[in-house]
Amino acid sequence: MKAHDGMYIGGQWRPAEGPDTIAVVNPADEQVIGHVPAGTAADVDAAVRAARAAFPAWAATPPTERAARIAALRDVLAARKDEIAETVTAELGAPLALSQAVHAGVPVLVAGSYAELAATYSFEEKLGNSTVLLEPVGVVGAITPWNYPLHQIVAKVAPALAAGCTVVLKPAEDTPLTAQLFAEAIEEAGLPAGVFNLVTGLGPVAGQALAEHEGVDLVSFTGSTAVGRQIGATAGAAVKRVALELGGKSANVILPGADLAKAVNVGVANVMSNSGQTCSAWTRMLVDGERYEEAVALAAAAVAKYVPGERVGPLVNAKQQARVRGYIEKGIEEGARLVAGGPEAPHARGYYVSPTVFADVTTEMTIAQEEIFGPVLSILKYEDVDDALRIANDTVYGLAGAVWAADDAEAIAFARRMDTGQVDVNGGRFNPLAPFGGYKQSGVGRELGPHGLAEYLQTKSLQF
């Protein structure tokens, strides 16, 4: 797509307030593919004012009508699926097959789920002699990351619209073209002017201005825990609500008796998907001592199939590439056994990192504690089930995880004891209605399904 040279505010594309632009780079070949405006506080203010003006009418729109608009948006996204996939591949570097199935496909599924929820959700309930009303919180400032550029937008904007909120979106500066495509889809779907607004720009400028703006009632942010803390502090000073989906260091626990080959292969695929740039990736594989070396060999064989430039794309930018390579070097320095991959770049051009597997990783190692956000798997050994649980819970994060066992009952019993927001049991499938979010430093609040919709509602009780 051709990049827009303005912001989408109040139902129209308008020039940015400042002259600066941001170059959009294809991480696979390091070529500039477009430029977008670097938004300022003035652009954010204009967008928030537009959202504020549109809020009363949108909040008063019957939920069934809001549902119809979201359904129209879903249909536009579905019709433009190929264009979306090509755009994500160009600015994120994801293999086209992944962009088509996940980056373009999942948002259609999620948008459809909110079209249905908006039409069926009960926005009031009776409690004794009270009627409790569930009303939209107001104007939402949505700040989204680059790793799943359209999914993260839809996971915030669709429930906000379903609730009756209006939105100002500040997407990641690495993947703004996908956000501009989404704004085009909003317009094509016939959303009223000002209900959705887009400001491209840098996090410390446009993102900070959005988080601080007194006209924003709720800030929904997905990204690093460090930035999440800053946004939480900013919102707290203004007594403003936040929803924070932050980092992860999720455990893939393979209990004795589980199907080892399946658990290892699915686990490797989970980590390598999207070049490891997934906050919920199962980056720690836990295996009992008796089958440990077999698991290591299986993982090494599995990761060999993930060829950089074919099945695995590059990382999003040079900074991220250097960061991940630094973690691999740290793993070697601290004594982990390098089973596959390594810090050397597999290609001279593009921000690629070799898919890497470490064995003999212990809980105190940096690669077992910090989020790497790249195609790096650490395999840890446990002594018994209680030790496996201790290791699984031994991080500051608690976003996701997996458990494999000989039967579901055993796996579920273990999963109930994990300090994490979502657990896949014996290869459980993705559910767009299941709440997604974390314990501990993995965040505050939930996305997806009815729990995701509830984040954008506030309660009022009427006593009779």
Side-chain angles (χ1 to χ4, degrees):
M1 69 167 287
K2 184 179 182 299
H4 289 275
D5 58 4
M7 310 297 188
Y8 186 71
I9 298 175
Q12 60 183 329
W13 293 95
R14 62 172 71 175
E17 294 291 336
D20 294 339
T21 61
I22 298 169
V24 184
V25 176
N26 184 330
D29 60 16
E30 304 179 39
Q31 297 298 303
V32 174
I33 58 175
H35 292 81
V36 298
T40 64
D43 293 302
V44 170
D45 182 64
V48 173
R49 289 179 183 276
R52 192 94 254 161
F55 173 67
W58 183 247
T61 300
T64 52
E65 292 185 26
R66 298 200 297 259
R69 292 298 185 188
I70 298 170
L73 174 62
R74 173 204 60 202
D75 293 344
V76 173
L77 294 175
R80 301 184 70 170
K81 185 176 177 180
D82 290 342
E83 182 183 6
I84 291 167
E86 290 166 3
T87 301
V88 173
T89 291
E91 63 181 356
L92 181 63
L96 187 58
L98 179 70
S99 292
Q100 291 170 332
V102 177
H103 290 289
V106 172
V108 173
L109 188 66
V110 173
S113 75
Y114 279 113
E116 295 178 13
L117 271 171
T120 58
Y121 194 85
S122 178
F123 289 93
E124 64 176 69
E125 60 179 332
K126 293 288 291 183
L127 287 176
N129 65 310
S130 300
T131 296
V132 179
L133 308 179
L134 301 175
E135 300 181 335
V137 71
V139 174
V140 172
I143 304 174
T144 56
W146 44 260
N147 60 325
Y148 289 91
L150 184 60
H151 169 65
Q152 296 288 356
I153 290 171
V154 171
K156 296 183 189 302
V157 175
L161 298 181
C165 297
T166 55
V167 181
V168 177
L169 170 68
K170 205 299 287 183
E173 50 264 34
D174 291 291
T175 53
L177 302 183
T178 301
Q180 289 189 342
L181 266 178
F182 181 77
E184 291 178 2
I186 286 277
E187 190 170 37
E188 190 175 339
L191 271 292
V195 167
F196 171 83
N197 307 273
L198 169 67
V199 176
T200 55
L202 301 175
V205 180
Q208 185 69 16
L210 185 58
E212 292 177 345
H213 201 290
E214 62 182 11
V216 172
D217 300 293
L218 181 150
V219 180
S220 180
F221 168 78
T222 297
S224 72
T225 297
V227 177
R229 287 194 193 100
Q230 296 173 12
I231 289 175
T234 297
V239 196
K240 184 181 300 185
R241 284 175 55 176
V242 294
L244 304 174
E245 198 269 281
L246 308 175
K249 194 68 183 176
S250 302
N252 179 22
V253 183
I254 306 174
L255 296 177
D259 184 334
L260 185 65
K262 181 178 181 181
V264 170
N265 281 294
V266 172
V268 168
N270 176 277
V271 174
M272 299 302 147
S273 179
N274 210 39
S275 305
Q277 299 171 131
T278 303
C279 54
S280 58
W282 310 332
T283 52
R284 296 179 300 140
M285 181 180 291
L286 279 57
V287 187
D288 64 279
E290 186 175 333
R291 299 194 296 174
Y292 186 79
E293 290 302 332
E294 183 183 356
V296 170
L298 286 168
V303 83
K305 301 174 184 176
Y306 291 84
V307 179
E310 297 177 14
R311 199 169 177 182
V312 178
L315 300 188
V316 71
N317 55 39
K319 180 181 178 181
Q320 185 68 11
Q321 180 194 40
R323 179 178 183 273
V324 173
R325 291 173 68 185
Y327 272 112
I328 296 172
E329 291 170 351
K330 189 72 170 177
I332 295 171
E333 177 188 322
E334 292 185 352
R337 176 172 30 127
L338 185 65
V339 174
E344 297 79 15
H347 298 299
R349 194 167 188 81
Y351 307 127
Y352 291 94
V353 170
S354 295
T356 297
V357 177
F358 281 107
D360 301 339
V361 178
T362 56
T363 57
E364 71 275 6
M365 290 182 181
T366 302
I367 59 172
Q369 291 294 329
E370 296 184 13
E371 184 177 45
I372 298 173
F373 226 61
V376 181
L377 171 65
S378 296
I379 308 179
L380 295 88
K381 184 187 300 183
Y382 65 82
E383 296 178 359
D384 53 31
V385 171
D386 287 339
D387 190 43
L389 183 68
R390 177 190 64 80
I391 295 171
N393 289 339
D394 186 24
T395 77
V396 298
Y397 299 111
L399 186 56
V403 181
W404 303 81
D407 61 78
D408 287 348
E410 181 185 4
I412 290 170
F414 188 95
R416 288 180 179 275
R417 300 166 67 195
M418 293 177 71
D419 297 335
T420 191
Q422 190 172 83
V423 184
D424 288 0
V425 174
N426 282 335
R429 294 177 293 110
F430 172 71
N431 178 3
L433 297 178
F436 179 77
Y439 286 20
K440 300 187 282 188
Q441 292 187 27
S442 285
V444 177
R446 293 295 181 267
E447 292 186 331
L448 303 181
H451 292 83
L453 176 57
E455 291 292 330
Y456 300 94
L457 296 169
Q458 57 189 349
T459 58
K460 176 190 293 178
S461 63
L462 310 178
Q463 281 64 248
F464 295 94

